[in-house]
Amino acid sequence: MTGAESIEIFSVIRERRSVRNYTDRDVPEEGLRAIIAAGIQAPTALGLQPWRFVIVKDRALIQQVSDYCKPILIERIGEEGGAGTEEFLAALKTPVFSIFYNAPVLVLVLGAREAVSSFLDCALCAENMMLAAWALGIGSCWIGSAALVQERPDLLAALKVPDDHQIVAPLIFGYPGPLSPKPVRREPRIDWVP
Ligand SMILES: Cc1cc2nc3c(=O)[nH]c(=O)nc-3n(C[C@H](O)[C@H](O)[C@H](O)COP(=O)(O)O)c2cc1C
């Protein structure tokens, strides 16, 4: 690897942020394939590569998933509360709000249930995908709220999620509209031994 390449990866890591505002521009198939190709370079326990992917462009189906998840989220967040939830709760209560922020594409990273480390492996894959997307000028956001759809067998079938896999990372992708500032990172606590 050249020095230039290593600087490039650090700037992509540093600059990537979750995008919640998208233009209508479609993400081309080759872009999505390049993103997945980067995803599958992630390390996996025992080298199992326990993932598969569903690319959802059907806006009506994406809307249906959002419509299903919203009232459940309102109820759960309302009950549990927690730091930083007020803004999200208020957005959820807005009828036009989509938990997918009107992104043109949703990619589900599915993990094989039988694999020993499916969740961690797929999370590493997802981060590679989000970084690769950013490098291509494509924004992304992990929509953890969408995992609730696993309680709806009919939607799971429509999303082509097989019984022996679970949704680990619901990721949206699209070309960013105006960006909000990147959330500031706290100084990490680092202990050195010795
Ligand atoms: C497991 C996981 C679940 C997340 N779920 C959501 C979500 O449901 N909705 C959302 O808007 N952002 C979600 N995010 C994005 C985080 O809010 C975001 O990564 C965090 O605020 C830091 O901002 P940054 O990604 O711009 O650095 C999720 C991120 C992770 C890792």
mmCIF file of all heavy atoms in Angstrom, residues 2 6 8 15-16 23 27 32 50 62 64 66 88 110 117 122 140 144 148 161 170 187-188:
data_model
loop_
_atom_site.group_PDB
_atom_site.id
_atom_site.type_symbol
_atom_site.label_atom_id
_atom_site.label_comp_id
_atom_site.label_asym_id
_atom_site.label_seq_id
_atom_site.Cartn_x
_atom_site.Cartn_y
_atom_site.Cartn_z
ATOM 1 N N THR A 2 0.508 2.205 -0.810
ATOM 2 C CA THR A 2 1.278 3.451 -0.845
ATOM 3 C C THR A 2 0.821 4.367 0.286
ATOM 4 O O THR A 2 -0.274 4.211 0.826
ATOM 5 C CB THR A 2 1.055 4.180 -2.173
ATOM 6 O OG1 THR A 2 -0.295 4.619 -2.205
ATOM 7 C CG2 THR A 2 1.340 3.301 -3.369
ATOM 8 N N SER A 6 -3.050 5.129 2.181
ATOM 9 C CA SER A 6 -3.350 5.059 3.603
ATOM 10 C C SER A 6 -3.930 6.385 4.093
ATOM 11 O O SER A 6 -4.815 6.397 4.928
ATOM 12 C CB SER A 6 -2.121 4.639 4.412
ATOM 13 O OG SER A 6 -1.160 5.644 4.358
ATOM 14 N N GLU A 8 -5.797 8.335 2.269
ATOM 15 C CA GLU A 8 -7.166 8.317 1.746
ATOM 16 C C GLU A 8 -8.102 7.571 2.699
ATOM 17 O O GLU A 8 -9.179 8.066 3.022
ATOM 18 C CB GLU A 8 -7.132 7.640 0.366
ATOM 19 C CG GLU A 8 -8.476 7.366 -0.254
ATOM 20 C CD GLU A 8 -9.123 8.621 -0.801
ATOM 21 O OE1 GLU A 8 -8.491 9.685 -0.807
ATOM 22 O OE2 GLU A 8 -10.275 8.515 -1.201
ATOM 23 N N GLU A 15 -14.281 11.407 7.755
ATOM 24 C CA GLU A 15 -15.337 12.261 7.183
ATOM 25 C C GLU A 15 -16.707 11.583 7.123
ATOM 26 O O GLU A 15 -17.733 12.257 7.077
ATOM 27 C CB GLU A 15 -14.952 12.701 5.759
ATOM 28 C CG GLU A 15 -13.691 13.530 5.678
ATOM 29 C CD GLU A 15 -13.793 14.830 6.452
ATOM 30 O OE1 GLU A 15 -14.883 15.403 6.484
ATOM 31 O OE2 GLU A 15 -12.779 15.241 7.048
ATOM 32 N N ARG A 16 -16.757 10.257 7.065
ATOM 33 C CA ARG A 16 -18.060 9.585 6.939
ATOM 34 C C ARG A 16 -18.995 10.001 8.062
ATOM 35 O O ARG A 16 -18.579 10.177 9.195
ATOM 36 C CB ARG A 16 -17.892 8.046 6.992
ATOM 37 C CG ARG A 16 -19.225 7.306 6.823
ATOM 38 C CD ARG A 16 -19.304 6.054 7.658
ATOM 39 N NE ARG A 16 -19.077 6.296 9.057
ATOM 40 C CZ ARG A 16 -20.033 6.698 9.920
ATOM 41 N NH1 ARG A 16 -21.266 6.881 9.536
ATOM 42 N NH2 ARG A 16 -19.711 6.918 11.190
ATOM 43 N N THR A 23 -30.966 13.112 -1.922
ATOM 44 C CA THR A 23 -31.554 13.587 -3.179
ATOM 45 C C THR A 23 -32.323 12.404 -3.788
ATOM 46 O O THR A 23 -32.210 11.264 -3.318
ATOM 47 C CB THR A 23 -30.457 14.030 -4.163
ATOM 48 O OG1 THR A 23 -29.704 12.873 -4.552
ATOM 49 C CG2 THR A 23 -29.517 15.049 -3.537
ATOM 50 N N VAL A 27 -29.085 5.239 -6.892
ATOM 51 C CA VAL A 27 -27.725 4.690 -6.769
ATOM 52 C C VAL A 27 -27.584 3.608 -7.832
ATOM 53 O O VAL A 27 -28.363 2.651 -7.858
ATOM 54 C CB VAL A 27 -27.488 4.090 -5.370
ATOM 55 C CG1 VAL A 27 -26.072 3.534 -5.255
ATOM 56 C CG2 VAL A 27 -27.744 5.132 -4.278
ATOM 57 N N LEU A 32 -23.731 -0.129 -6.034
ATOM 58 C CA LEU A 32 -24.167 -1.055 -4.979
ATOM 59 C C LEU A 32 -23.292 -2.317 -4.972
ATOM 60 O O LEU A 32 -22.927 -2.836 -3.920
ATOM 61 C CB LEU A 32 -25.642 -1.418 -5.178
ATOM 62 C CG LEU A 32 -26.604 -0.250 -4.946
ATOM 63 C CD1 LEU A 32 -28.013 -0.595 -5.436
ATOM 64 C CD2 LEU A 32 -26.636 0.141 -3.468
ATOM 65 N N PRO A 50 -20.670 -15.240 6.835
ATOM 66 C CA PRO A 50 -22.048 -15.743 7.029
ATOM 67 C C PRO A 50 -23.141 -14.799 6.533
ATOM 68 O O PRO A 50 -24.227 -14.762 7.082
ATOM 69 C CB PRO A 50 -22.112 -15.859 8.555
ATOM 70 C CG PRO A 50 -21.280 -14.720 9.030
ATOM 71 C CD PRO A 50 -20.154 -14.570 8.029
ATOM 72 N N ILE A 62 -40.611 -0.237 1.208
ATOM 73 C CA ILE A 62 -39.811 0.478 2.216
ATOM 74 C C ILE A 62 -40.747 1.309 3.105
ATOM 75 O O ILE A 62 -40.613 1.325 4.334
ATOM 76 C CB ILE A 62 -38.737 1.366 1.528
ATOM 77 C CG1 ILE A 62 -37.702 0.490 0.803
ATOM 78 C CG2 ILE A 62 -38.045 2.277 2.540
ATOM 79 C CD1 ILE A 62 -36.673 1.253 -0.032
ATOM 80 N N GLN A 64 -43.887 0.662 3.690
ATOM 81 C CA GLN A 64 -44.672 -0.268 4.524
ATOM 82 C C GLN A 64 -43.888 -0.663 5.771
ATOM 83 O O GLN A 64 -44.443 -0.766 6.860
ATOM 84 C CB GLN A 64 -44.943 -1.544 3.724
ATOM 85 C CG GLN A 64 -46.348 -1.703 3.213
ATOM 86 C CD GLN A 64 -46.499 -3.072 2.562
ATOM 87 O OE1 GLN A 64 -45.888 -3.330 1.530
ATOM 88 N NE2 GLN A 64 -47.290 -3.939 3.168
ATOM 89 N N SER A 66 -41.498 1.078 7.194
ATOM 90 C CA SER A 66 -41.452 2.252 8.065
ATOM 91 C C SER A 66 -42.779 2.411 8.807
ATOM 92 O O SER A 66 -42.806 2.616 10.029
ATOM 93 C CB SER A 66 -41.144 3.506 7.241
ATOM 94 O OG SER A 66 -41.188 4.651 8.055
ATOM 95 N N PHE A 88 -35.899 12.254 18.094
ATOM 96 C CA PHE A 88 -36.309 11.117 17.267
ATOM 97 C C PHE A 88 -37.785 10.808 17.505
ATOM 98 O O PHE A 88 -38.538 10.549 16.565
ATOM 99 C CB PHE A 88 -35.420 9.910 17.587
ATOM 100 C CG PHE A 88 -35.633 8.728 16.667
ATOM 101 C CD1 PHE A 88 -35.694 8.896 15.285
ATOM 102 C CD2 PHE A 88 -35.770 7.441 17.180
ATOM 103 C CE1 PHE A 88 -35.889 7.810 14.432
ATOM 104 C CE2 PHE A 88 -35.969 6.347 16.341
ATOM 105 C CZ PHE A 88 -36.030 6.532 14.965
ATOM 106 N N LEU A 110 -27.868 -9.638 5.868
ATOM 107 C CA LEU A 110 -28.445 -10.753 6.617
ATOM 108 C C LEU A 110 -27.333 -11.656 7.117
ATOM 109 O O LEU A 110 -26.368 -11.924 6.389
ATOM 110 C CB LEU A 110 -29.365 -11.582 5.721
ATOM 111 C CG LEU A 110 -30.439 -10.841 4.926
ATOM 112 C CD1 LEU A 110 -31.278 -11.852 4.139
ATOM 113 C CD2 LEU A 110 -31.323 -10.011 5.841
ATOM 114 N N SER A 117 -20.560 -16.305 14.740
ATOM 115 C CA SER A 117 -20.317 -14.889 15.022
ATOM 116 C C SER A 117 -21.005 -13.982 13.998
ATOM 117 O O SER A 117 -20.487 -12.946 13.614
ATOM 118 C CB SER A 117 -18.802 -14.643 15.006
ATOM 119 O OG SER A 117 -18.509 -13.351 15.427
ATOM 120 N N CYS A 122 -21.239 -9.517 10.386
ATOM 121 C CA CYS A 122 -22.057 -8.670 9.503
ATOM 122 C C CYS A 122 -21.915 -7.191 9.860
ATOM 123 O O CYS A 122 -22.028 -6.325 8.986
ATOM 124 C CB CYS A 122 -23.518 -9.107 9.547
ATOM 125 S SG CYS A 122 -23.774 -10.708 8.768
ATOM 126 N N SER A 140 -24.890 7.065 3.617
ATOM 127 C CA SER A 140 -25.522 5.870 4.180
ATOM 128 C C SER A 140 -25.936 6.136 5.617
ATOM 129 O O SER A 140 -25.497 7.111 6.233
ATOM 130 C CB SER A 140 -24.539 4.688 4.152
ATOM 131 O OG SER A 140 -23.473 4.923 5.063
ATOM 132 N N GLY A 144 -31.103 0.868 12.589
ATOM 133 C CA GLY A 144 -31.337 -0.223 13.543
ATOM 134 C C GLY A 144 -32.813 -0.413 13.848
ATOM 135 O O GLY A 144 -33.267 -1.550 14.069
ATOM 136 N N LEU A 148 -37.043 -4.226 13.728
ATOM 137 C CA LEU A 148 -38.355 -4.608 14.263
ATOM 138 C C LEU A 148 -39.193 -5.391 13.255
ATOM 139 O O LEU A 148 -40.091 -6.141 13.628
ATOM 140 C CB LEU A 148 -39.140 -3.346 14.648
ATOM 141 C CG LEU A 148 -38.726 -2.611 15.919
ATOM 142 C CD1 LEU A 148 -39.512 -1.312 16.008
ATOM 143 C CD2 LEU A 148 -38.997 -3.481 17.132
ATOM 144 N N VAL A 161 -36.231 -12.372 3.141
ATOM 145 C CA VAL A 161 -35.359 -12.790 4.248
ATOM 146 C C VAL A 161 -35.713 -14.241 4.583
ATOM 147 O O VAL A 161 -36.825 -14.511 5.042
ATOM 148 C CB VAL A 161 -35.568 -11.899 5.500
ATOM 149 C CG1 VAL A 161 -34.677 -12.365 6.644
ATOM 150 C CG2 VAL A 161 -35.296 -10.429 5.157
ATOM 151 N N PRO A 170 -29.693 -3.137 8.638
ATOM 152 C CA PRO A 170 -30.485 -2.484 7.607
ATOM 153 C C PRO A 170 -29.797 -1.159 7.259
ATOM 154 O O PRO A 170 -29.733 -0.258 8.092
ATOM 155 C CB PRO A 170 -31.839 -2.222 8.294
ATOM 156 C CG PRO A 170 -31.739 -2.834 9.670
ATOM 157 C CD PRO A 170 -30.278 -2.952 9.984
ATOM 158 N N GLU A 187 -13.084 12.422 23.504
ATOM 159 C CA GLU A 187 -11.725 11.876 23.621
ATOM 160 C C GLU A 187 -11.833 10.456 24.166
ATOM 161 O O GLU A 187 -12.526 10.237 25.176
ATOM 162 C CB GLU A 187 -10.908 12.712 24.609
ATOM 163 C CG GLU A 187 -10.155 13.870 23.988
ATOM 164 C CD GLU A 187 -9.231 13.438 22.857
ATOM 165 O OE1 GLU A 187 -8.367 12.560 23.078
ATOM 166 O OE2 GLU A 187 -9.386 13.980 21.751
ATOM 167 N N PRO A 188 -11.216 9.500 23.537
ATOM 168 C CA PRO A 188 -11.324 8.132 24.069
ATOM 169 C C PRO A 188 -10.452 7.947 25.303
ATOM 170 O O PRO A 188 -9.374 8.546 25.396
ATOM 171 C CB PRO A 188 -10.795 7.275 22.923
ATOM 172 C CG PRO A 188 -9.832 8.161 22.209
ATOM 173 C CD PRO A 188 -10.373 9.562 22.347
#
